[in-house]
Amino acid sequence: MKLMKYCVSPSKLAWLRKEFGKDADGLMAAMDAAGTAYLDNLNALTELQKSERVSAEAENAIKAKTQLQAQRQWAYLWLQQRIALTTRIDDIELAALAVFEFQHVRIEVVEPSEFNTVLALLQAEQVLGFDTETRASFERGVQHPLSLIQIATANTCYLFQHAILGEQFIQLKALLEDETILKVGVGLRSDAHALRRQWGINVASTLDLNWALAQLGAEKEMGTRQLVAALLGARIDKPKKVTLSNWQLVPLSSAQIHYAAADALAALKCFNALITQLTPFYHASSAVKAALLIPSSLIMPLAKYFKDAE
């Protein structure tokens, strides 16, 4: 443990672990990282002062800039640590969170007569929440076709059910293959595979939130429940009875409609929360031409949305 270098005795470490509980190692790692960042910045300032003759005013400006950069780095390190900690919360902790609510969002099961109008509305969006549902199979070797596609905007979630739309269903191809519209969701690989295999739809421009949080330090792949807890501080309930229900049923039950809409809406809200939390770090690095805090793997797909959030 690096803290040992700073004269923290084994007994003190034991006390810290007792005080911090199960998250002790993670919190101490965050302190280590913050301390290292602080010392690195102090060393950089010292070297600069040695190598250059600077006025008192310039020296103060350099010091202020260095301190600001250090503070931003500490804040980012804490964001990473918080994500790592909150993505490990258990069922008891999840149960204590407020329920993910979306009463003010409209949910629409799309009818054939409305299909073209809805499609035009969705094609005007930049980012969409995205998910699918397939009827569960309880027989070996039996696999049901994908039954439902959920696509969410900020104020509406549209449910496209194959049993209702029939051949119109394939007309979602242009929207889902549009590279200018980002589709965000959780575990998108299986959704994309099913659409490609069954309908010849190659979903383009996607962001899997599991992957995004892994770039920020999440230690394991999560489901929607963990992501909503980590990014929104809320709880999304996913009853197994509904998960395994018949998604080819017409009409869908109110429980099925609510469940399906929640997944797509939660994905979009989680994406917006992630952009909100990361944007200050993106702009801070850009403004001072400092080393980027956010991993380049995340900046590449998200830079446009950071800029839009200015």
Side-chain angles (χ1 to χ4, degrees):
M1 196 71 191
K2 286 184 184 178
L3 287 172
M4 291 293 289
K5 292 196 303 184
Y6 304 108
C7 303
V8 179
S9 66
S11 60
K12 281 287 180 62
L13 282 173
W15 176 81
L16 283 171
R17 284 197 169 89
K18 182 178 178 181
E19 288 295 305
F20 289 153
K22 64 184 179 64
D23 297 323
D25 287 338
L27 289 168
M28 287 190 281
M31 289 191 291
D32 281 336
T36 299
Y38 177 74
L39 292 173
D40 287 346
N41 278 287
L42 283 183
N43 290 336
L45 179 61
T46 301
E47 291 302 315
L48 185 60
Q49 289 171 329
K50 287 179 181 177
S51 62
E52 298 181 11
R53 289 186 174 183
V54 294
S55 65
E57 183 178 340
E59 184 176 325
N60 288 336
I62 293 169
K63 187 180 295 185
K65 179 180 175 181
T66 302
Q67 289 174 342
L68 181 59
Q69 289 175 358
Q71 289 169 0
R72 285 168 176 156
Q73 188 162 2
W74 300 337
Y76 181 72
L77 288 168
W78 173 239
L79 171 66
Q80 287 183 303
Q81 192 58 46
R82 182 166 56 80
I83 286 172
L85 293 173
T86 55
T87 52
R88 294 200 301 266
I89 62 178
D90 57 30
D91 287 342
I92 295 175
E93 293 168 316
L94 276 172
L97 296 175
V99 176
F100 173 64
E101 300 284 2
F102 50 95
Q103 297 100 325
H104 303 299
V105 175
R106 188 164 60 92
I107 304 171
E108 180 179 336
V109 179
V110 179
E111 296 291 337
S113 60
E114 303 163 335
F115 183 89
N116 290 334
T117 301
V118 170
L119 192 59
L121 290 172
L122 292 174
Q123 286 171 327
E125 297 287 330
Q126 286 191 318
V127 185
L128 297 169
F130 174 65
D131 193 31
T132 70
E133 302 295 343
T134 300
R135 180 182 177 182
S137 173
F138 301 99
E139 298 179 44
R140 178 176 291 183
V142 175
Q143 188 173 21
H144 295 292
L146 186 146
S147 305
L148 187 72
I149 295 177
Q150 306 99 277
I151 300 178
T153 67
N155 52 28
T156 307
C157 185
Y158 299 99
L159 307 184
F160 298 88
Q161 190 178 18
H162 178 250
I164 291 176
L165 296 172
E167 291 305 311
Q168 271 187 312
F169 201 71
I170 191 62
Q171 293 178 34
L172 287 168
K173 180 180 176 72
L175 174 69
L176 296 177
E177 293 187 347
D178 190 330
E179 295 184 354
T180 67
I181 302 173
L182 183 67
K183 298 90 182 172
V184 297
V186 182
L188 293 182
R189 181 179 297 178
S190 59
D191 298 319
H193 176 73
L195 285 164
R196 183 171 56 253
R197 178 171 53 84
Q198 296 171 26
W199 303 97
I201 296 174
N202 296 300
V203 184
S205 187
T206 61
L207 178 74
D208 193 314
L209 293 166
N210 261 330
W211 173 84
L213 262 68
Q215 309 310 298
L216 296 170
E219 295 181 357
K220 64 176 183 178
E221 190 167 290
M222 298 164 287
T224 304
R225 295 181 74 211
Q226 292 282 348
L227 282 160
V228 169
L231 292 172
L232 304 179
R235 182 183 85 247
I236 187 168
D237 294 322
K238 297 176 72 69
K240 188 67 72 176
K241 181 179 179 180
V242 182
T243 304
L244 300 177
S245 63
N246 180 5
W247 293 99
Q248 295 173 324
L249 186 69
V250 178
L252 293 170
S253 69
S254 59
Q256 286 177 307
I257 289 171
H258 187 276
Y259 177 107
D263 278 352
L265 287 164
L268 184 58
K269 286 185 178 292
C270 283
F271 171 80
N272 290 333
L274 183 64
I275 291 296
T276 298
Q277 292 181 46
L278 292 180
T279 293
F281 301 110
Y282 173 81
H283 290 309
S285 298
S286 301
V288 298
K289 297 183 179 179
L292 292 172
L293 294 172
I294 304 169
S296 58
S297 57
L298 261 186
I299 287 180
M300 289 178 66
L302 298 184
K304 174 184 184 300
Y305 307 99
F306 292 139
K307 291 173 183 174
D308 288 346
E310 283 186 290

